[in-house]
């Protein structure tokens, strides 16, 4: 009796093990171990095997592969039974049919007929060996000449591809066998020559130029950001995580009728501050994606917080978008939709998906917040209270409208409306309740028929509420895509913190050239093309990046190298007087404004000229290459070499003048270095900048325990009274020049009729000739 029970138990145990053993799927041991780590997938596979056993279906290696691929590739589990049934009934026999089935349900996410599914994946279609043979013979005949010439080195891949197009459901193995058989019958057995490896064609020396070409292409500005993996308009439901309801396809059809399948994006800044370098990435992504797909991009001001909005911010935002080279398809405001948003909020209450709450902001703060005691109050009560909120019967903070949903991060019931007794810049005193970002953003996207709602990664935890709100209100639902935010080291971008810097007198304003606001970068002289190039080189990734400013400066340098006229200037002038010269003075030569390009200009040297004080020393050493009492120096452009004859000092011992003789440059008097100089000059104020903060992350308490204000570099601005070539006259603001041997400089907005002011944009690359 005991023996019988043990035997029965063993049979049952083996049967159960058979029913759940993943090795039956034909998986390797490593694959089984990886699969078992995914509890959800493992459960699904075991349930599928159990059903196969219950239906007495033999799970061979081919069926096992189909089961595994179905479980891992199918996104929406509600479609599983229909497809799995075809697998168990041996109607789907190969991976090609399974892929076709998955594509079909992806394109028909809500409702489909099983018969249509079967048609889509070739159920019942039989391709006979005779059909395969006839198709192969036809293609062989067309390629007979090549086959006889190339013999067994002939590439039969294209023939295979053409046949698969004609006979979609043909067995690939049978097709390949037939092709090989026909080629073999034509050529016969392989010869010794056929078995030799193909000889490589040697490239002629004169043809070896690809490396230089590749290098040249690499340095070019990327045309646009690379946008791969995004859905096409009307295929929102194909993106992972997108929620499909019974209304989705109807709303999608209406959306496509309104837009004509056009790509539509939006750049939605809050008009409560100045745009910074991070916004440049957002602008390029939203406008760039639309441009790359012949679509349109809206500039939408998210103006739902009236107490922080100022007219100057509205103007500045548009100014910066235009400066970066983009034109909005239409300029809109979230406030355009205040009435429609309010009406939808009422609808949300009526459906039981929102309620009026009296918890304070402090009580709702954090992630472990208890459920509101007013969450289940009657709908009629919430409707009356919401109207009272609109009519000004509550104090600020005494009531909010909250939505019944949970954000990814676990935050319960985000606020949809709050009370603010502040007049709005566009609607005046009409409203005293204002919608929040969580409520407004997705609905305004829907109203504008946005196809791709592109935002930074920090909004990923709001994606579920985005989809929930559009769907519960039966509005067209765009797709939210997230990308990594751009941060730059050695700076701050918070409006509040920049305001503190201004209040402390550490920077002048939001456009202080040491900041990385877009107005500051423009003022410093960063070309918009360089900023766009910088963003495009970063690419579109989900990673949060904090980059060194040197990467941006490199793009600026590359741009200005090709566009900025060359000018000679000295930041700390030292007078040189010519006592003798091989040429008659004044002496002029023609110099191109930009090397290798037209037009050009004249430079003229007189009996008196100026060099930078740093380019002269009384005595020299082995590393010093410029002018001294015992070392000559060359003067740029004029082909002359200066030799010191006398040094004049002030009563305090400071060098006030150096007397020199000038000789023509020859093979016998070549100097170690050439320096810039100025003869006919005008005085200019030159502002030279360095990093505003000493540490890479001034807001990080571990890196800067005393706070960002303690990390400010107090020597980040130096002002020089410089001499610049007089020929430039009165250039317009933002005109850029390369001050030879010094760096790139841009005319500042403080320039006036009697004062020329330059900002140092970026330095030149390090030059050993400056030593």
């Amino acid at each position: 009796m005991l023996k019988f029970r043990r035997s029965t138990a063993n049979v049952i145990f083996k049967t159960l093990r058979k029913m759940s053993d993943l090795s039956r799927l034909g998986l390797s041991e490593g694959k089984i171990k990886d699969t078992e780590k995914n509890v959800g997938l493992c459960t699904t596979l075991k349930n599928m095997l159990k059903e196969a056993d219950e239906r007495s279906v033999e799970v061979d290696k081919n069926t096992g592969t189909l089961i595994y691929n179905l479980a891992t590739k199918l996104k929406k589990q509600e479609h599983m039974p229909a497809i799995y049934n075809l697998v168990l009934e041996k109607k789907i026999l190969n991976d090609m049919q399974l892929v076709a089935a998955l594509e079909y349900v992806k394109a028909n996410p809500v409702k489909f007929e099983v018969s249509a599914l079967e048609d889509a994946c070739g159920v019942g279609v039989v391709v006979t060996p005779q059909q395969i043979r006839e198709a192969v013979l036809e293609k062989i005949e067309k390629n007979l000449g090549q086959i006889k010439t190339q013999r067994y080195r002939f590439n039969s891949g294209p023939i295979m591809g053409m046949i698969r197009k004609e006979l979609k459901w043909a067995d690939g193995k049978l097709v390949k066998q037939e092709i090989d058989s026909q080629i073999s019958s034509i050529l016969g057995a392989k010869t010794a020559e056929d078995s030799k490896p193909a000889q490589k064609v040697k490239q002629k020396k004169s043809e070896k130029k690809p490396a230089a070409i590749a290098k040249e292409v690499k340095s070019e500005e990327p045309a646009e950001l690379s946008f791969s993996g995004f859905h096409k308009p009307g295929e929102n439901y194909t993106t992972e995580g997108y929620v499909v309801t019974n209304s989705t396809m109807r709303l999608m059809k209406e959306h496509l009728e309104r837009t004509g399948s056009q790509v539509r994006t939006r750049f939605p800044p809050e008009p409560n501050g100045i745009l910074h370098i991070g916004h440049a990435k957002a602008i390029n992504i939203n406008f760039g994606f639309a441009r790359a797909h012949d679509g349109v991009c809206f500039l939408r001001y998210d103006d739902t917080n009236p107490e922080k909005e100022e007219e100057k911010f509205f103007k500045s935002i548009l100014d910066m978008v235009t400066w970066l080279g983009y034109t909005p398809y239409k300029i809109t405001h979230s406030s355009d939709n205040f009435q429609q948003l309010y009406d939808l909020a009422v609808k949300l209450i009526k459906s039981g998906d929102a309620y009026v709450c009296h918890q304070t902001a402090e009580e709702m703060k954090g992630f472990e917040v208890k459920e509101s005691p007013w969450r289940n109050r009657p709908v009629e009560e919430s409707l009356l209270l919401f109207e009272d909120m609109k009519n000004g019967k509550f104090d600020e903070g005494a009531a909010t409208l909250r939505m019944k949903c949970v954000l990814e991060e676990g935050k319960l019931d985000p606020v949809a409306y709050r009370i603010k007794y502040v007049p709005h810049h566009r609607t005046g005193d009409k409203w005293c309740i204002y919608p929040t970002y969580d409520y407004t953003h997705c609905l305004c996207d829907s109203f504008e028929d946005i196809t791709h709602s592109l935002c930074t990664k920090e909004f990923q935890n709001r994606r579920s509420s985005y989809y929930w709100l559009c769907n519960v209100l039966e509005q067209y639902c765009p797709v939210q895509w997230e990308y990594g935010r751009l941060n730059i080291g050695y700076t701050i971008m918070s409006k509040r913190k920049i305001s503190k810097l201004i209040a402390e007198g550490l920077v002048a304003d939001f456009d202080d050239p040491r900041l990385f606001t877009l107005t500051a970068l423009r003022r410093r002289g960063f070309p918009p093309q360089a900023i766009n190039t910088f963003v495009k080189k970063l690419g579109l990734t989900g990673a949060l990046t904090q980059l060194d400013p040197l990467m941006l400066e490199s793009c600026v340098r590359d741009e200005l190298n090709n566009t900025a006229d060359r000018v000679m200037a000295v930041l700390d002038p030292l007078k040189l007087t010519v006592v003798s010269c091989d040429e008659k003075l004044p002496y002029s030569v023609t110099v191109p404004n930009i090397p290798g390009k037209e037009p050009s200009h004249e430079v003229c040297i007189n009996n008196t000229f100026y060099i930078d004080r740093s380019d002269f020393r009384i005595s020299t050493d082995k590393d010093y290459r410029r002018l001294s009492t015992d070392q000559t120096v060359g003067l740029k452009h004029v082909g002359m070499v200066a030799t010191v004859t006398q040094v004049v000092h002030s009563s305090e011992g400071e060098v006030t003048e150096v007397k020199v003789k000038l000789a023509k440059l020859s093979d016998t008097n070549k100097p170690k270095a050439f320096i810039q100089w100025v003869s006919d000059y005008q005085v200019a104020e030159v502002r030279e900048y360095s990093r505003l903060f000493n540490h890479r992350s001034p807001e990080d308490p571990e890196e800067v325990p005393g706070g960002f204000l303690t990390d400010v570099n107090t020597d980040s601005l130096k002002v020089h009274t410089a001499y610049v070539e007089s020929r430039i006259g009165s250039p317009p603001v933002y005109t850029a020049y390369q001050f030879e041997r010094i760096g790139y400089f841009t005319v500042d907005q403080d320039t006036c009729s009697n004062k020329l002011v330059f900002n140092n944009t970026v330095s030149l690359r390090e030059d050993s000739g400056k030593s």
Side-chain angles (χ1 to χ4, degrees), residues 514-674:
R514 289 167 289 181
L515 297 171
F516 278 78
T517 62
L518 292 184
T519 51
L521 294 178
R522 177 174 66 176
R523 185 174 180 181
R524 185 160 177 173
F526 283 32
Q529 300 90 338
I531 295 173
N532 292 344
T533 299
F534 169 67
V535 171
K536 292 168 188 174
K537 282 184 174 181
L538 295 178
L540 191 62
T541 65
L544 179 67
T545 50
Q546 187 190 58
L547 302 172
D548 194 294
L550 293 175
M551 295 182 65
L552 174 57
E553 290 174 6
S554 176
C555 294
V556 171
R557 198 176 285 112
D558 289 344
E559 177 67 26
L560 292 178
N561 183 53
N562 294 317
T563 58
D565 285 358
R566 273 47 170 179
V567 169
M568 289 195 290
V570 290
L571 303 188
D572 187 7
L574 175 63
K575 181 180 178 181
L576 270 64
T577 301
V578 181
V579 296
S580 69
C581 182
D582 289 353
E583 299 283 357
K584 183 180 179 181
L585 300 178
Y587 177 74
S588 299
V589 294
T590 301
V591 179
N593 291 1
I594 300 174
K597 295 182 180 181
E598 293 291 342
S600 57
H601 63 275
E602 295 286 317
V603 294
C604 179
I605 190 167
N606 295 313
N607 288 314
T608 300
F609 63 97
Y610 296 83
I611 66 172
D612 201 281
R613 189 171 293 274
S614 64
D615 286 332
F616 173 75
R617 290 183 186 177
I618 296 294
S619 59
T620 187
D621 57 49
K622 63 182 180 65
D623 296 322
Y624 183 73
R625 300 161 60 89
R626 290 159 285 153
L627 185 63
S628 70
T629 54
D630 55 358
Q631 183 168 274
T632 63
V633 77
L635 302 180
K636 286 181 72 73
H637 303 308
V638 291
M640 294 186 184
V641 178
T643 304
V644 175
T645 61
Q646 182 183 349
V647 179
V648 180
H649 294 82
S650 68
S651 57
E652 289 81 20
E654 182 184 8
V655 176
T656 57
E657 182 183 5
V658 178
K659 296 185 179 181
V660 296
K661 61 180 181 181
L662 300 181
K664 282 184 179 180
L665 178 67
S666 67
D667 292 337
T668 60
N669 68 352
K670 287 183 178 179
K672 292 182 178 179
F674 287 82

Side-chain angles (χ1 to χ4, degrees), residues 50 152 154 176 182 207 218 304 314 337 392 481 732:
K50 181 180 178 182
Y152 284 102
F154 174 75
K176 183 68 169 64
Q182 293 298 334
E207 295 175 350
K218 187 178 179 181
T304 59
F314 286 86
N337 306 300
W481 291 93

Side-chain angles (χ1 to χ4, degrees), residues 393-433:
K393 295 183 179 181
F394 287 102
D395 293 334
E396 285 194 21
T400 59
L401 182 70
R402 296 175 66 181
M403 300 176 282
K404 291 183 180 179
C405 67
V406 182
L407 302 180
E408 280 90 338
E409 59 192 4
K411 193 169 181 63
L412 182 67
D413 295 356
V415 172
Y417 270 87
R418 73 277 204 214
I419 301 167
K420 286 183 180 291
Y421 291 108
V422 181
H424 192 274
H425 72 106
R426 298 185 75 240
T427 60
D429 294 321
K430 181 179 179 181
W431 299 92
C432 64
I433 56 171

Side-chain angles (χ1 to χ4, degrees), residues 58 81 107 150 187 296-297 317 381 403 421 427 529 568 579 596 660 666 692 694 711 721 746 766:
E58 181 65 27
Q150 298 175 16
L187 302 178
V296 297
C297 182
I317 288 169
E381 190 175 311
M403 300 176 282
Y421 291 108
T427 60
Q529 300 90 338
M568 289 195 290
V579 296
V660 296
S666 67
L692 183 59
N694 295 312
D711 196 48
T721 301
T746 301
E766 285 302 314

Side-chain angles (χ1 to χ4, degrees), residues 299-561:
L299 169 58
R300 184 202 309 147
Y301 295 111
D302 187 19
D303 56 344
T304 59
N305 194 357
E307 60 190 359
K308 293 184 177 181
E309 292 156 5
E310 297 180 38
E311 185 61 29
K312 67 177 181 180
F313 295 137
F314 286 86
K315 292 179 179 178
S316 174
I317 288 169
L318 178 59
D319 187 23
M320 289 299 98
V321 169
T322 306
W323 178 62
L324 287 175
Y326 296 105
T327 302
Y329 165 68
K330 188 181 292 185
I331 297 173
T332 61
H333 302 75
S334 294
S335 58
D336 296 339
N337 306 300
F338 274 178
Q339 185 60 52
Q340 189 174 359
L341 290 168
Y342 175 81
D343 293 340
L344 287 175
V346 171
K347 181 179 178 182
L348 199 64
I349 297 171
K350 288 180 177 179
S351 65
D353 294 299
Y355 62 96
V356 173
C357 177
H358 304 288
Q359 286 184 300
T360 65
E362 192 62 31
E363 289 173 326
M364 289 188 283
K365 197 173 182 180
F367 297 99
E368 296 182 3
V369 180
K370 293 181 179 179
E371 185 176 294
S372 169
W374 293 279
R375 193 175 200 266
N376 297 311
R377 76 190 324 163
V379 167
E380 294 75 15
E381 190 175 311
S382 280
L383 285 171
L384 290 172
L385 291 171
F386 188 51
E387 188 172 359
D388 287 344
M389 286 172 61
K390 179 176 75 77
N391 293 333
K393 295 183 179 181
F394 287 102
D395 293 334
E396 285 194 21
T400 59
L401 182 70
R402 296 175 66 181
M403 300 176 282
K404 291 183 180 179
C405 67
V406 182
L407 302 180
E408 280 90 338
E409 59 192 4
K411 193 169 181 63
L412 182 67
D413 295 356
V415 172
Y417 270 87
R418 73 277 204 214
I419 301 167
K420 286 183 180 291
Y421 291 108
V422 181
H424 192 274
H425 72 106
R426 298 185 75 240
T427 60
D429 294 321
K430 181 179 179 181
W431 299 92
C432 64
I433 56 171
Y434 293 98
T436 61
Y437 174 90
D438 286 325
Y439 178 75
T440 307
H441 183 66
C442 59
L443 294 177
C444 286
D445 280 353
S446 179
F447 301 157
E448 293 174 358
D449 278 311
I450 300 302
T451 55
H452 299 75
S453 181
L454 308 171
C455 57
T456 51
K457 203 75 173 177
E458 67 216 68
F459 294 103
Q460 185 171 3
N461 60 8
R462 286 169 161 79
R463 193 199 298 174
S464 61
S465 66
Y466 184 108
Y467 293 159
W468 173 83
L469 187 56
C470 286
N471 288 330
V472 79
L473 289 171
E474 292 197 327
Q475 299 290 306
Y476 156 72
C477 186
V479 178
Q480 177 174 305
W481 291 93
E482 302 91 12
Y483 56 87
R485 183 173 180 167
L486 169 61
N487 290 317
I488 294 284
Y490 301 98
T491 190
I492 59 173
M493 298 193 218
S494 158
K495 174 194 170 187
R496 179 178 59 83
K497 292 179 179 178
I498 293 175
S499 297
K500 285 186 177 181
L501 291 175
I502 297 170
E504 294 288 331
L506 298 170
V507 297
D509 206 337
F510 284 97
D511 64 351
D512 188 296
R514 289 167 289 181
L515 297 171
F516 278 78
T517 62
L518 292 184
T519 51
L521 294 178
R522 177 174 66 176
R523 185 174 180 181
R524 185 160 177 173
F526 283 32
Q529 300 90 338
I531 295 173
N532 292 344
T533 299
F534 169 67
V535 171
K536 292 168 188 174
K537 282 184 174 181
L538 295 178
L540 191 62
T541 65
L544 179 67
T545 50
Q546 187 190 58
L547 302 172
D548 194 294
L550 293 175
M551 295 182 65
L552 174 57
E553 290 174 6
S554 176
C555 294
V556 171
R557 198 176 285 112
D558 289 344
E559 177 67 26
L560 292 178
N561 183 53

